[in-house]
Amino acid sequence: MRARILVTRPKPGASATARRLKEAGFEPVLLPLTEIRQLPLPTGQRLERPDAMVVSSANAIRLAPPELLAAQAGRPCLAVGAETAKAAVEAGFNAVTSADGDADALTRIVLKLTPPGARILYLTGRVRRAALEERLATAGRTVETVEIYDTLPIAYSANGLDRLLAGRTDAVLLHSARAAELLARLPGAGRRFESAIFLGLS
């Protein structure tokens, strides 16, 4: 009997994760807890010529205006992890460096590869930790933050969850602290996942 794995990340990443799980012999169950919405760039925002571009997720690359990416493609791109680095390469960036998959690792990479006084263009989502920006500023980097997308919660009714989660759940994949918070707020979360293993990205 194949283990049933609950995938909670938003689309399109959820579909890619489900495909890899299926190829590995698991039974994926999709329950995105959030959805990604593109944000317009603020009117009149002037993007200075940075020394490097920092990207916190693949969504920031996928949803960024093409003209913004084209203007920065010749600069070093420092990505939070392998998936984001792959998206950057596909978007035309040649000098891409990948961190180990979380904001702390990304901060360390940026501080290692840029000197004090460097100008950093930071593409990210509206929902994020401020630690990266604060640490870079403290270390003497000038950070220009551009919010590319928002992450909005998806509401599920108890009846809807009964249909989606019919049967057991062996493991739950959590890609962020926000996903863990939203999962805990689902109707009947305690009984639905009492026997599941929880696997967190960080």
Side-chain angles (χ1 to χ4, degrees):
M1 184 179 295
R2 297 191 300 170
R4 283 167 50 92
I5 312 297
L6 189 66
V7 180
T8 63
R9 68 187 303 198
K11 295 179 180 180
S15 299
T17 297
R19 183 176 62 252
R20 291 195 293 270
L21 286 170
K22 191 171 183 179
E23 290 171 352
F26 299 102
E27 181 182 347
V29 179
L30 294 183
L31 185 74
L33 297 175
T34 56
E35 61 179 339
I36 302 299
R37 297 271 184 90
Q38 185 179 35
L39 294 171
L41 289 182
T43 302
Q45 181 167 12
R46 184 179 173 214
L47 303 177
E48 300 293 339
R49 291 177 63 84
D51 297 299
M53 189 176 81
V54 173
V55 190
S56 66
S57 79
N59 287 319
I61 291 287
R62 296 183 186 121
L63 297 177
E67 60 272 17
L68 187 159
L69 297 179
Q72 310 302 331
R75 292 172 177 75
C77 177
L78 312 180
V80 69
E83 184 178 354
T84 306
K86 180 182 177 182
V89 170
E90 292 173 349
F93 288 84
N94 295 318
V96 180
T97 302
S98 174
D100 294 329
D102 61 32
D104 291 337
L106 180 57
T107 302
R108 290 192 295 270
I109 286 288
V110 177
L111 292 177
K112 178 180 178 181
L113 298 181
T114 65
R119 297 187 306 277
I120 306 297
L121 177 62
Y122 179 34
L123 304 188
T124 187
R126 177 169 288 170
V127 178
R128 66 185 183 280
R129 294 167 52 197
L132 184 146
E133 290 145 289
E134 292 171 354
R135 287 180 60 189
L136 292 183
T138 299
R141 276 62 167 180
T142 299
V143 182
E144 182 170 14
T145 300
V146 180
E147 294 179 349
I148 299 296
Y149 64 93
D150 201 0
T151 306
L152 303 174
I154 297 175
Y156 291 97
S157 67
N159 289 338
L161 290 172
D162 289 341
R163 291 192 299 271
L164 289 168
L165 301 177
R168 74 190 190 287
T169 298
D170 296 302
V172 179
L173 303 187
L174 297 169
H175 289 256
S176 68
R178 182 167 172 78
E181 293 168 358
L182 293 173
L183 185 82
R185 296 177 193 165
L186 291 177
R191 65 174 173 80
R192 294 182 193 279
F193 309 117
E194 61 184 356
S195 62
I197 297 170
F198 294 90
L199 303 173
L201 181 65
S202 63

